[in-house]
Amino acid sequence: MSKLESQDVRTGPRGYCKRAMLYAVIARIVEKIPTIKALCDRLRDDARFRYNCGFDPYQPPPSQATFTRFMKQLEEAGIAELLFQQQRDKAMALGLIQKENVSVDATHVKAYEKAVARSKCKKDDSSPSCEHRGQQVLLV
């Protein structure tokens, strides 16, 4: 956390605390919130959740773009990897996981948060499928 705070303390057009942004990202995982957009919606609609993450409950929460930039900063500074290692080591010390059983799957999975245009879908067996207006079609 000190490495995170040693960088610029505020991010976003109005300036948001990086600690609160990190808490919100962790809360997204704990609360099983599927996307950054859904996290932003929850922060916007739930003042108590916003407060618990460390944001001012009377001010608007960060935008999706602000969270995306924040996540990129975490990755570029190596903080995401460091946080993962710290949490893994803590879980091992508590006996939650064992060294022999630790594995990380880093397989790249292309995902779409928005609908795919029908013009980009192709009907053949070599492409992954997509759903468009209830019909099964295949991506180009």
mmCIF file of all heavy atoms in Angstrom, residues 57-101:
data_model
loop_
_atom_site.group_PDB
_atom_site.id
_atom_site.type_symbol
_atom_site.label_atom_id
_atom_site.label_comp_id
_atom_site.label_asym_id
_atom_site.label_seq_id
_atom_site.Cartn_x
_atom_site.Cartn_y
_atom_site.Cartn_z
ATOM 1 N N PRO A 57 -19.656 9.804 0.745
ATOM 2 C CA PRO A 57 -20.986 9.343 0.325
ATOM 3 C C PRO A 57 -21.843 10.440 -0.290
ATOM 4 O O PRO A 57 -22.854 10.146 -0.934
ATOM 5 C CB PRO A 57 -21.605 8.825 1.621
ATOM 6 C CG PRO A 57 -20.843 9.455 2.721
ATOM 7 C CD PRO A 57 -19.474 9.737 2.188
ATOM 8 N N TYR A 58 -21.439 11.696 -0.135
ATOM 9 C CA TYR A 58 -22.222 12.811 -0.681
ATOM 10 C C TYR A 58 -21.686 13.323 -2.013
ATOM 11 O O TYR A 58 -22.244 14.237 -2.591
ATOM 12 C CB TYR A 58 -22.280 13.951 0.333
ATOM 13 C CG TYR A 58 -22.901 13.514 1.640
ATOM 14 C CD1 TYR A 58 -22.117 13.325 2.772
ATOM 15 C CD2 TYR A 58 -24.256 13.228 1.725
ATOM 16 C CE1 TYR A 58 -22.673 12.897 3.960
ATOM 17 C CE2 TYR A 58 -24.823 12.796 2.914
ATOM 18 C CZ TYR A 58 -24.031 12.635 4.021
ATOM 19 O OH TYR A 58 -24.584 12.203 5.190
ATOM 20 N N GLN A 59 -20.601 12.740 -2.470
ATOM 21 C CA GLN A 59 -20.000 13.139 -3.744
ATOM 22 C C GLN A 59 -20.192 12.035 -4.777
ATOM 23 O O GLN A 59 -20.302 10.871 -4.416
ATOM 24 C CB GLN A 59 -18.503 13.414 -3.566
ATOM 25 C CG GLN A 59 -18.191 14.557 -2.638
ATOM 26 C CD GLN A 59 -18.688 15.879 -3.175
ATOM 27 O OE1 GLN A 59 -18.603 16.152 -4.362
ATOM 28 N NE2 GLN A 59 -19.246 16.695 -2.297
ATOM 29 N N PRO A 60 -20.199 12.389 -6.067
ATOM 30 C CA PRO A 60 -20.327 11.336 -7.087
ATOM 31 C C PRO A 60 -19.097 10.426 -7.100
ATOM 32 O O PRO A 60 -17.976 10.880 -6.849
ATOM 33 C CB PRO A 60 -20.451 12.112 -8.404
ATOM 34 C CG PRO A 60 -20.083 13.509 -8.112
ATOM 35 C CD PRO A 60 -20.152 13.717 -6.634
ATOM 36 N N PRO A 61 -19.294 9.142 -7.378
ATOM 37 C CA PRO A 61 -18.176 8.190 -7.394
ATOM 38 C C PRO A 61 -17.360 8.318 -8.680
ATOM 39 O O PRO A 61 -17.770 8.990 -9.623
ATOM 40 C CB PRO A 61 -18.880 6.836 -7.329
ATOM 41 C CG PRO A 61 -20.180 7.073 -8.009
ATOM 42 C CD PRO A 61 -20.575 8.479 -7.649
ATOM 43 N N PRO A 62 -16.216 7.651 -8.746
ATOM 44 C CA PRO A 62 -15.387 7.668 -9.965
ATOM 45 C C PRO A 62 -16.124 7.039 -11.148
ATOM 46 O O PRO A 62 -16.983 6.178 -10.980
ATOM 47 C CB PRO A 62 -14.170 6.820 -9.598
ATOM 48 C CG PRO A 62 -14.171 6.727 -8.120
ATOM 49 C CD PRO A 62 -15.577 6.890 -7.670
ATOM 50 N N SER A 63 -15.746 7.478 -12.334
ATOM 51 C CA SER A 63 -16.341 6.934 -13.556
ATOM 52 C C SER A 63 -15.657 5.630 -13.946
ATOM 53 O O SER A 63 -14.612 5.261 -13.393
ATOM 54 C CB SER A 63 -16.198 7.938 -14.699
ATOM 55 O OG SER A 63 -14.829 8.063 -15.051
ATOM 56 N N GLN A 64 -16.225 4.981 -14.931
ATOM 57 C CA GLN A 64 -15.654 3.754 -15.472
ATOM 58 C C GLN A 64 -14.257 4.030 -16.035
ATOM 59 O O GLN A 64 -13.330 3.242 -15.841
ATOM 60 C CB GLN A 64 -16.583 3.255 -16.588
ATOM 61 C CG GLN A 64 -16.718 1.789 -16.680
ATOM 62 C CD GLN A 64 -17.735 1.405 -17.741
ATOM 63 O OE1 GLN A 64 -18.724 2.084 -17.966
ATOM 64 N NE2 GLN A 64 -17.488 0.311 -18.396
ATOM 65 N N ALA A 65 -14.112 5.147 -16.730
ATOM 66 C CA ALA A 65 -12.812 5.502 -17.316
ATOM 67 C C ALA A 65 -11.755 5.719 -16.233
ATOM 68 O O ALA A 65 -10.596 5.319 -16.392
ATOM 69 C CB ALA A 65 -12.957 6.762 -18.172
ATOM 70 N N THR A 66 -12.155 6.321 -15.117
ATOM 71 C CA THR A 66 -11.216 6.548 -14.016
ATOM 72 C C THR A 66 -10.746 5.221 -13.439
ATOM 73 O O THR A 66 -9.553 5.036 -13.171
ATOM 74 C CB THR A 66 -11.874 7.409 -12.919
ATOM 75 O OG1 THR A 66 -12.305 8.639 -13.500
ATOM 76 C CG2 THR A 66 -10.902 7.704 -11.798
ATOM 77 N N PHE A 67 -11.672 4.267 -13.257
ATOM 78 C CA PHE A 67 -11.282 2.948 -12.756
ATOM 79 C C PHE A 67 -10.371 2.223 -13.746
ATOM 80 O O PHE A 67 -9.417 1.564 -13.351
ATOM 81 C CB PHE A 67 -12.509 2.087 -12.452
ATOM 82 C CG PHE A 67 -13.028 2.266 -11.054
ATOM 83 C CD1 PHE A 67 -14.202 2.946 -10.830
ATOM 84 C CD2 PHE A 67 -12.334 1.762 -9.975
ATOM 85 C CE1 PHE A 67 -14.679 3.111 -9.542
ATOM 86 C CE2 PHE A 67 -12.802 1.923 -8.681
ATOM 87 C CZ PHE A 67 -13.985 2.611 -8.473
ATOM 88 N N THR A 68 -10.662 2.358 -15.032
ATOM 89 C CA THR A 68 -9.834 1.704 -16.053
ATOM 90 C C THR A 68 -8.412 2.257 -16.028
ATOM 91 O O THR A 68 -7.439 1.502 -16.069
ATOM 92 C CB THR A 68 -10.464 1.886 -17.444
ATOM 93 O OG1 THR A 68 -11.779 1.335 -17.417
ATOM 94 C CG2 THR A 68 -9.648 1.191 -18.517
ATOM 95 N N ARG A 69 -8.284 3.580 -15.938
ATOM 96 C CA ARG A 69 -6.951 4.199 -15.853
ATOM 97 C C ARG A 69 -6.234 3.758 -14.577
ATOM 98 O O ARG A 69 -5.036 3.482 -14.585
ATOM 99 C CB ARG A 69 -7.061 5.726 -15.891
ATOM 100 C CG ARG A 69 -7.362 6.288 -17.259
ATOM 101 C CD ARG A 69 -7.211 7.802 -17.280
ATOM 102 N NE ARG A 69 -8.068 8.477 -16.327
ATOM 103 C CZ ARG A 69 -9.303 8.914 -16.581
ATOM 104 N NH1 ARG A 69 -9.828 8.735 -17.774
ATOM 105 N NH2 ARG A 69 -9.996 9.533 -15.663
ATOM 106 N N PHE A 70 -6.974 3.675 -13.484
ATOM 107 C CA PHE A 70 -6.399 3.244 -12.207
ATOM 108 C C PHE A 70 -5.870 1.821 -12.298
ATOM 109 O O PHE A 70 -4.762 1.527 -11.846
ATOM 110 C CB PHE A 70 -7.448 3.366 -11.099
ATOM 111 C CG PHE A 70 -6.983 2.871 -9.769
ATOM 112 C CD1 PHE A 70 -6.017 3.564 -9.048
ATOM 113 C CD2 PHE A 70 -7.492 1.708 -9.224
ATOM 114 C CE1 PHE A 70 -5.581 3.105 -7.810
ATOM 115 C CE2 PHE A 70 -7.064 1.244 -7.996
ATOM 116 C CZ PHE A 70 -6.106 1.945 -7.280
ATOM 117 N N MET A 71 -6.648 0.938 -12.894
ATOM 118 C CA MET A 71 -6.218 -0.461 -13.050
ATOM 119 C C MET A 71 -4.956 -0.543 -13.915
ATOM 120 O O MET A 71 -4.055 -1.326 -13.634
ATOM 121 C CB MET A 71 -7.336 -1.306 -13.661
ATOM 122 C CG MET A 71 -8.568 -1.412 -12.798
ATOM 123 S SD MET A 71 -8.288 -2.287 -11.273
ATOM 124 C CE MET A 71 -8.139 -3.940 -11.894
ATOM 125 N N LYS A 72 -4.897 0.287 -14.946
ATOM 126 C CA LYS A 72 -3.715 0.314 -15.814
ATOM 127 C C LYS A 72 -2.487 0.788 -15.034
ATOM 128 O O LYS A 72 -1.397 0.237 -15.183
ATOM 129 C CB LYS A 72 -3.976 1.218 -17.022
ATOM 130 C CG LYS A 72 -2.874 1.192 -18.041
ATOM 131 C CD LYS A 72 -3.230 2.007 -19.252
ATOM 132 C CE LYS A 72 -2.092 1.965 -20.259
ATOM 133 N NZ LYS A 72 -2.350 2.787 -21.427
ATOM 134 N N GLN A 73 -2.675 1.799 -14.178
ATOM 135 C CA GLN A 73 -1.575 2.292 -13.344
ATOM 136 C C GLN A 73 -1.082 1.201 -12.387
ATOM 137 O O GLN A 73 0.122 1.049 -12.182
ATOM 138 C CB GLN A 73 -2.015 3.506 -12.523
ATOM 139 C CG GLN A 73 -2.212 4.759 -13.322
ATOM 140 C CD GLN A 73 -2.806 5.886 -12.485
ATOM 141 O OE1 GLN A 73 -3.195 5.686 -11.338
ATOM 142 N NE2 GLN A 73 -2.896 7.067 -13.071
ATOM 143 N N LEU A 74 -2.019 0.460 -11.793
ATOM 144 C CA LEU A 74 -1.637 -0.630 -10.894
ATOM 145 C C LEU A 74 -0.782 -1.666 -11.616
ATOM 146 O O LEU A 74 0.219 -2.148 -11.095
ATOM 147 C CB LEU A 74 -2.876 -1.325 -10.321
ATOM 148 C CG LEU A 74 -3.671 -0.613 -9.250
ATOM 149 C CD1 LEU A 74 -4.879 -1.455 -8.854
ATOM 150 C CD2 LEU A 74 -2.825 -0.308 -8.040
ATOM 151 N N GLU A 75 -1.211 -2.004 -12.821
ATOM 152 C CA GLU A 75 -0.500 -3.023 -13.602
ATOM 153 C C GLU A 75 0.886 -2.528 -14.031
ATOM 154 O O GLU A 75 1.867 -3.239 -13.911
ATOM 155 C CB GLU A 75 -1.337 -3.405 -14.825
ATOM 156 C CG GLU A 75 -0.851 -4.618 -15.535
ATOM 157 C CD GLU A 75 -0.929 -5.875 -14.680
ATOM 158 O OE1 GLU A 75 -1.883 -6.036 -13.918
ATOM 159 O OE2 GLU A 75 -0.006 -6.700 -14.787
ATOM 160 N N GLU A 76 0.968 -1.299 -14.526
ATOM 161 C CA GLU A 76 2.237 -0.760 -15.015
ATOM 162 C C GLU A 76 3.260 -0.584 -13.889
ATOM 163 O O GLU A 76 4.452 -0.761 -14.104
ATOM 164 C CB GLU A 76 2.008 0.579 -15.724
ATOM 165 C CG GLU A 76 1.330 0.428 -17.067
ATOM 166 C CD GLU A 76 0.981 1.761 -17.706
ATOM 167 O OE1 GLU A 76 1.095 2.821 -17.045
ATOM 168 O OE2 GLU A 76 0.565 1.739 -18.887
ATOM 169 N N ALA A 77 2.785 -0.242 -12.693
ATOM 170 C CA ALA A 77 3.697 -0.036 -11.561
ATOM 171 C C ALA A 77 4.077 -1.348 -10.879
ATOM 172 O O ALA A 77 4.903 -1.350 -9.968
ATOM 173 C CB ALA A 77 3.059 0.911 -10.553
ATOM 174 N N GLY A 78 3.469 -2.448 -11.304
ATOM 175 C CA GLY A 78 3.767 -3.740 -10.696
ATOM 176 C C GLY A 78 3.059 -3.946 -9.370
ATOM 177 O O GLY A 78 3.344 -4.905 -8.645
ATOM 178 N N ILE A 79 2.142 -3.063 -9.036
ATOM 179 C CA ILE A 79 1.452 -3.146 -7.751
ATOM 180 C C ILE A 79 0.468 -4.305 -7.735
ATOM 181 O O ILE A 79 0.318 -4.979 -6.709
ATOM 182 C CB ILE A 79 0.747 -1.803 -7.436
ATOM 183 C CG1 ILE A 79 1.801 -0.705 -7.276
ATOM 184 C CG2 ILE A 79 -0.116 -1.913 -6.190
ATOM 185 C CD1 ILE A 79 1.253 0.679 -7.184
ATOM 186 N N ALA A 80 -0.181 -4.586 -8.843
ATOM 187 C CA ALA A 80 -1.151 -5.685 -8.904
ATOM 188 C C ALA A 80 -0.463 -7.011 -8.581
ATOM 189 O O ALA A 80 -0.979 -7.811 -7.788
ATOM 190 C CB ALA A 80 -1.814 -5.726 -10.277
ATOM 191 N N GLU A 81 0.691 -7.246 -9.160
ATOM 192 C CA GLU A 81 1.439 -8.482 -8.902
ATOM 193 C C GLU A 81 1.893 -8.542 -7.453
ATOM 194 O O GLU A 81 1.818 -9.588 -6.802
ATOM 195 C CB GLU A 81 2.641 -8.577 -9.852
ATOM 196 C CG GLU A 81 3.496 -9.798 -9.660
ATOM 197 C CD GLU A 81 2.787 -11.089 -10.047
ATOM 198 O OE1 GLU A 81 1.865 -11.057 -10.868
ATOM 199 O OE2 GLU A 81 3.169 -12.138 -9.495
ATOM 200 N N LEU A 82 2.362 -7.413 -6.924
ATOM 201 C CA LEU A 82 2.813 -7.358 -5.536
ATOM 202 C C LEU A 82 1.663 -7.657 -4.570
ATOM 203 O O LEU A 82 1.826 -8.419 -3.612
ATOM 204 C CB LEU A 82 3.408 -5.980 -5.243
ATOM 205 C CG LEU A 82 3.929 -5.744 -3.835
ATOM 206 C CD1 LEU A 82 5.138 -6.630 -3.572
ATOM 207 C CD2 LEU A 82 4.298 -4.285 -3.652
ATOM 208 N N LEU A 83 0.492 -7.077 -4.828
ATOM 209 C CA LEU A 83 -0.677 -7.334 -3.987
ATOM 210 C C LEU A 83 -1.078 -8.803 -4.036
ATOM 211 O O LEU A 83 -1.423 -9.399 -3.012
ATOM 212 C CB LEU A 83 -1.852 -6.454 -4.412
ATOM 213 C CG LEU A 83 -1.723 -4.974 -4.076
ATOM 214 C CD1 LEU A 83 -2.851 -4.184 -4.731
ATOM 215 C CD2 LEU A 83 -1.732 -4.762 -2.577
ATOM 216 N N PHE A 84 -1.033 -9.393 -5.233
ATOM 217 C CA PHE A 84 -1.358 -10.811 -5.374
ATOM 218 C C PHE A 84 -0.397 -11.658 -4.546
ATOM 219 O O PHE A 84 -0.815 -12.563 -3.818
ATOM 220 C CB PHE A 84 -1.322 -11.235 -6.835
ATOM 221 C CG PHE A 84 -1.432 -12.720 -7.021
ATOM 222 C CD1 PHE A 84 -2.651 -13.359 -6.876
ATOM 223 C CD2 PHE A 84 -0.309 -13.484 -7.318
ATOM 224 C CE1 PHE A 84 -2.759 -14.735 -7.029
ATOM 225 C CE2 PHE A 84 -0.399 -14.857 -7.472
ATOM 226 C CZ PHE A 84 -1.630 -15.486 -7.325
ATOM 227 N N GLN A 85 0.908 -11.384 -4.638
ATOM 228 C CA GLN A 85 1.902 -12.155 -3.895
ATOM 229 C C GLN A 85 1.705 -12.015 -2.388
ATOM 230 O O GLN A 85 1.817 -12.997 -1.645
ATOM 231 C CB GLN A 85 3.312 -11.715 -4.291
ATOM 232 C CG GLN A 85 3.692 -12.123 -5.691
ATOM 233 C CD GLN A 85 5.015 -11.524 -6.128
ATOM 234 O OE1 GLN A 85 5.647 -10.782 -5.397
ATOM 235 N NE2 GLN A 85 5.421 -11.840 -7.354
ATOM 236 N N GLN A 86 1.393 -10.791 -1.929
ATOM 237 C CA GLN A 86 1.171 -10.579 -0.498
ATOM 238 C C GLN A 86 -0.042 -11.360 -0.009
ATOM 239 O O GLN A 86 0.004 -11.982 1.056
ATOM 240 C CB GLN A 86 0.992 -9.090 -0.202
ATOM 241 C CG GLN A 86 2.262 -8.289 -0.315
ATOM 242 C CD GLN A 86 2.024 -6.803 -0.139
ATOM 243 O OE1 GLN A 86 0.894 -6.327 -0.175
ATOM 244 N NE2 GLN A 86 3.100 -6.059 0.052
ATOM 245 N N GLN A 87 -1.124 -11.332 -0.784
ATOM 246 C CA GLN A 87 -2.332 -12.061 -0.388
ATOM 247 C C GLN A 87 -2.098 -13.573 -0.419
ATOM 248 O O GLN A 87 -2.579 -14.299 0.446
ATOM 249 C CB GLN A 87 -3.505 -11.679 -1.292
ATOM 250 C CG GLN A 87 -3.979 -10.258 -1.105
ATOM 251 C CD GLN A 87 -4.390 -9.977 0.324
ATOM 252 O OE1 GLN A 87 -5.154 -10.724 0.913
ATOM 253 N NE2 GLN A 87 -3.871 -8.902 0.890
ATOM 254 N N ARG A 88 -1.352 -14.037 -1.409
ATOM 255 C CA ARG A 88 -1.026 -15.467 -1.489
ATOM 256 C C ARG A 88 -0.201 -15.894 -0.287
ATOM 257 O O ARG A 88 -0.494 -16.914 0.352
ATOM 258 C CB ARG A 88 -0.260 -15.745 -2.782
ATOM 259 C CG ARG A 88 0.074 -17.221 -2.980
ATOM 260 C CD ARG A 88 1.177 -17.430 -3.976
ATOM 261 N NE ARG A 88 2.394 -16.765 -3.482
ATOM 262 C CZ ARG A 88 3.319 -16.232 -4.254
ATOM 263 N NH1 ARG A 88 3.207 -16.266 -5.564
ATOM 264 N NH2 ARG A 88 4.381 -15.657 -3.744
ATOM 265 N N ASP A 89 0.824 -15.103 0.071
ATOM 266 C CA ASP A 89 1.672 -15.430 1.213
ATOM 267 C C ASP A 89 0.880 -15.417 2.522
ATOM 268 O O ASP A 89 1.080 -16.276 3.382
ATOM 269 C CB ASP A 89 2.861 -14.466 1.298
ATOM 270 C CG ASP A 89 3.815 -14.614 0.129
ATOM 271 O OD1 ASP A 89 3.744 -15.649 -0.583
ATOM 272 O OD2 ASP A 89 4.620 -13.688 -0.097
ATOM 273 N N LYS A 90 -0.029 -14.452 2.653
ATOM 274 C CA LYS A 90 -0.850 -14.378 3.854
ATOM 275 C C LYS A 90 -1.778 -15.592 3.948
ATOM 276 O O LYS A 90 -1.942 -16.176 5.024
ATOM 277 C CB LYS A 90 -1.683 -13.094 3.847
ATOM 278 C CG LYS A 90 -2.456 -12.863 5.131
ATOM 279 C CD LYS A 90 -3.278 -11.594 5.054
ATOM 280 C CE LYS A 90 -2.507 -10.467 5.673
ATOM 281 N NZ LYS A 90 -3.308 -9.235 5.768
ATOM 282 N N ALA A 91 -2.359 -15.996 2.826
ATOM 283 C CA ALA A 91 -3.246 -17.170 2.810
ATOM 284 C C ALA A 91 -2.460 -18.431 3.143
ATOM 285 O O ALA A 91 -2.971 -19.324 3.839
ATOM 286 C CB ALA A 91 -3.926 -17.305 1.452
ATOM 287 N N MET A 92 -1.223 -18.530 2.677
ATOM 288 C CA MET A 92 -0.385 -19.690 3.008
ATOM 289 C C MET A 92 -0.049 -19.700 4.498
ATOM 290 O O MET A 92 -0.082 -20.750 5.143
ATOM 291 C CB MET A 92 0.902 -19.678 2.181
ATOM 292 C CG MET A 92 0.724 -20.115 0.775
ATOM 293 S SD MET A 92 2.330 -20.088 -0.054
ATOM 294 C CE MET A 92 1.855 -20.502 -1.690
ATOM 295 N N ALA A 93 0.263 -18.533 5.061
ATOM 296 C CA ALA A 93 0.596 -18.446 6.483
ATOM 297 C C ALA A 93 -0.602 -18.830 7.355
ATOM 298 O O ALA A 93 -0.441 -19.416 8.421
ATOM 299 C CB ALA A 93 1.072 -17.036 6.823
ATOM 300 N N LEU A 94 -1.806 -18.520 6.895
ATOM 301 C CA LEU A 94 -3.019 -18.865 7.643
ATOM 302 C C LEU A 94 -3.463 -20.307 7.398
ATOM 303 O O LEU A 94 -4.418 -20.772 8.011
ATOM 304 C CB LEU A 94 -4.154 -17.915 7.259
ATOM 305 C CG LEU A 94 -3.978 -16.457 7.691
ATOM 306 C CD1 LEU A 94 -5.060 -15.589 7.082
ATOM 307 C CD2 LEU A 94 -3.985 -16.352 9.214
ATOM 308 N N GLY A 95 -2.789 -20.990 6.481
ATOM 309 C CA GLY A 95 -3.131 -22.370 6.189
ATOM 310 C C GLY A 95 -4.336 -22.525 5.275
ATOM 311 O O GLY A 95 -4.900 -23.603 5.168
ATOM 312 N N LEU A 96 -4.728 -21.447 4.610
ATOM 313 C CA LEU A 96 -5.874 -21.512 3.698
ATOM 314 C C LEU A 96 -5.524 -22.229 2.402
ATOM 315 O O LEU A 96 -6.377 -22.864 1.790
ATOM 316 C CB LEU A 96 -6.402 -20.110 3.403
ATOM 317 C CG LEU A 96 -6.913 -19.335 4.611
ATOM 318 C CD1 LEU A 96 -7.266 -17.917 4.215
ATOM 319 C CD2 LEU A 96 -8.117 -20.038 5.232
ATOM 320 N N ILE A 97 -4.278 -22.070 1.966
ATOM 321 C CA ILE A 97 -3.795 -22.776 0.772
ATOM 322 C C ILE A 97 -2.431 -23.366 1.080
ATOM 323 O O ILE A 97 -1.742 -22.914 1.987
ATOM 324 C CB ILE A 97 -3.717 -21.847 -0.470
ATOM 325 C CG1 ILE A 97 -2.833 -20.622 -0.202
ATOM 326 C CG2 ILE A 97 -5.091 -21.435 -0.938
ATOM 327 C CD1 ILE A 97 -2.629 -19.732 -1.406
ATOM 328 N N GLN A 98 -2.055 -24.385 0.330
ATOM 329 C CA GLN A 98 -0.759 -25.024 0.513
ATOM 330 C C GLN A 98 0.097 -24.767 -0.716
ATOM 331 O O GLN A 98 -0.426 -24.612 -1.823
ATOM 332 C CB GLN A 98 -0.945 -26.516 0.728
ATOM 333 C CG GLN A 98 -1.760 -26.833 1.965
ATOM 334 C CD GLN A 98 -2.107 -28.307 2.048
ATOM 335 O OE1 GLN A 98 -1.828 -29.070 1.145
ATOM 336 N NE2 GLN A 98 -2.722 -28.682 3.158
ATOM 337 N N LYS A 99 1.399 -24.728 -0.533
ATOM 338 C CA LYS A 99 2.315 -24.446 -1.632
ATOM 339 C C LYS A 99 2.157 -25.407 -2.794
ATOM 340 O O LYS A 99 2.245 -25.013 -3.941
ATOM 341 C CB LYS A 99 3.758 -24.498 -1.144
ATOM 342 C CG LYS A 99 4.363 -23.176 -0.900
ATOM 343 C CD LYS A 99 5.837 -23.316 -0.587
ATOM 344 C CE LYS A 99 6.385 -21.948 -0.261
ATOM 345 N NZ LYS A 99 7.748 -21.983 0.157
ATOM 346 N N GLU A 100 1.910 -26.660 -2.514
ATOM 347 C CA GLU A 100 1.815 -27.658 -3.577
ATOM 348 C C GLU A 100 0.601 -27.434 -4.477
ATOM 349 O O GLU A 100 0.561 -27.903 -5.600
ATOM 350 C CB GLU A 100 1.694 -29.080 -2.989
ATOM 351 C CG GLU A 100 2.760 -29.461 -2.008
ATOM 352 C CD GLU A 100 2.436 -28.999 -0.587
ATOM 353 O OE1 GLU A 100 1.322 -29.202 -0.106
ATOM 354 O OE2 GLU A 100 3.334 -28.419 0.035
ATOM 355 N N ASN A 101 -0.398 -26.715 -3.978
ATOM 356 C CA ASN A 101 -1.655 -26.587 -4.706
ATOM 357 C C ASN A 101 -1.865 -25.233 -5.365
ATOM 358 O O ASN A 101 -2.937 -24.976 -5.885
ATOM 359 C CB ASN A 101 -2.831 -26.872 -3.768
ATOM 360 C CG ASN A 101 -2.780 -28.267 -3.201
ATOM 361 O OD1 ASN A 101 -2.245 -29.164 -3.847
ATOM 362 N ND2 ASN A 101 -3.301 -28.445 -2.017
#
